[in-house]
Amino acid sequence: TGHYQAVRDGSMRIDVYIGEERVFTEALLDGDAWSMQQGEITGTPITEEEAQILWRGVLGNLYAMQEWSDHGVVVNARGPEALDGEDFWIIDITHVDGFQDRYYLDIETFLIARQRSDHSLHPAVDPTVQRFETRYSDYREVDGIMFAFREEKYDMDTGERAQLITIQSREFNGVNDHTAFEQPQ
């Protein structure tokens, strides 16, 4: 189970638990990123590459796609194009660090149906870059905004599911204490 919190100034933190025990933490504050392994009580700085990944998560979780260009992201739209017998609007994204994503938007709802990119699942654990497709579903409205509550990531070379994320809840304006993002010393 994970608990993710983030604010639009770019700060974020995710704590991962097995049962009641915290087994991993990653955070970003003012561009500096750190992590903390199971049993540790002090954080350790992580790489710039990992910090960029965390920032892309903040961007994707807290900003509408039309706001991304305000943060240096290049957004190119085209379509409709067919994929697996369905038509989608295509949105190609190039982030400031050069990372590229391709989003497939439902042609009628404009909700993100799929996303493809080449990356590692977690570069600190295994830096092997793979081709992934994430499929978004179970859209629900939260405070007037539609969010996918289910994300399934598939290895495009093997067809096997590599990751499943099921969102239990979303809350806005729930971060009142920014000290949570600070690296424990």
Side-chain angles (χ1 to χ4, degrees):
T1 302
H3 180 248
Y4 180 90
Q5 51 186 328
V7 293
R8 285 175 62 102
D9 70 5
S11 300
M12 62 75 58
R13 177 177 175 146
I14 184 166
D15 294 291
V16 179
Y17 296 87
I18 295 177
E20 298 294 317
E21 184 178 3
R22 185 198 60 79
V23 295
F24 184 69
T25 298
E26 281 184 316
L28 180 63
L29 175 64
D30 298 327
D32 295 322
W34 57 271
S35 69
M36 197 164 51
Q37 304 296 324
Q38 183 175 7
E40 294 179 341
I41 57 172
T42 60
T44 304
I46 59 176
T47 68
E48 177 63 28
E49 175 189 10
E50 291 169 292
Q52 286 296 321
I53 294 167
L54 297 178
W55 165 243
R56 289 193 304 264
V58 171
L59 208 56
N61 283 304
L62 298 184
Y63 290 87
M65 195 177 286
Q66 66 267 22
E67 297 178 282
W68 292 0
S69 61
D70 295 340
H71 298 277
V73 177
V74 177
V75 180
N76 291 305
R78 67 176 196 278
E81 291 184 17
L83 176 67
D84 297 335
E86 293 183 66
D87 286 334
F88 296 97
W89 297 108
I90 308 299
I91 310 291
D92 286 320
I93 305 292
T94 303
H95 293 271
V96 174
D97 63 353
F99 185 81
Q100 297 180 326
D101 284 306
R102 175 167 288 163
Y103 288 88
Y104 297 82
L105 277 57
D106 182 283
I107 199 149
E108 293 179 16
T109 67
F110 297 97
L111 296 173
I112 298 171
R114 301 180 188 195
Q115 178 266 335
R116 288 183 174 179
S117 61
D118 298 344
H119 62 276
S120 62
L121 273 177
H122 198 289
V125 176
D126 181 356
T128 305
V129 173
Q130 296 170 267
R131 296 178 337 117
F132 289 110
E133 177 180 89
T134 302
R135 299 173 191 164
Y136 299 87
S137 61
D138 190 17
Y139 273 90
R140 302 178 201 171
E141 186 176 324
V142 179
D143 289 349
I145 303 169
M146 297 298 290
F147 289 98
F149 274 67
R150 183 178 178 92
E151 302 174 14
E152 294 181 85
K153 185 173 292 203
Y154 289 89
D155 182 316
M156 291 179 61
D157 294 324
T158 67
E160 293 181 22
R161 187 169 71 185
Q163 188 177 60
L164 169 63
I165 297 174
T166 304
I167 308 297
Q168 299 300 315
S169 65
R170 287 187 184 266
E171 177 183 330
F172 291 100
N173 302 318
V175 178
N176 298 316
D177 182 8
H178 282 62
T179 60
F181 307 121
E182 295 175 0
Q183 179 179 328
Q185 303 296 322

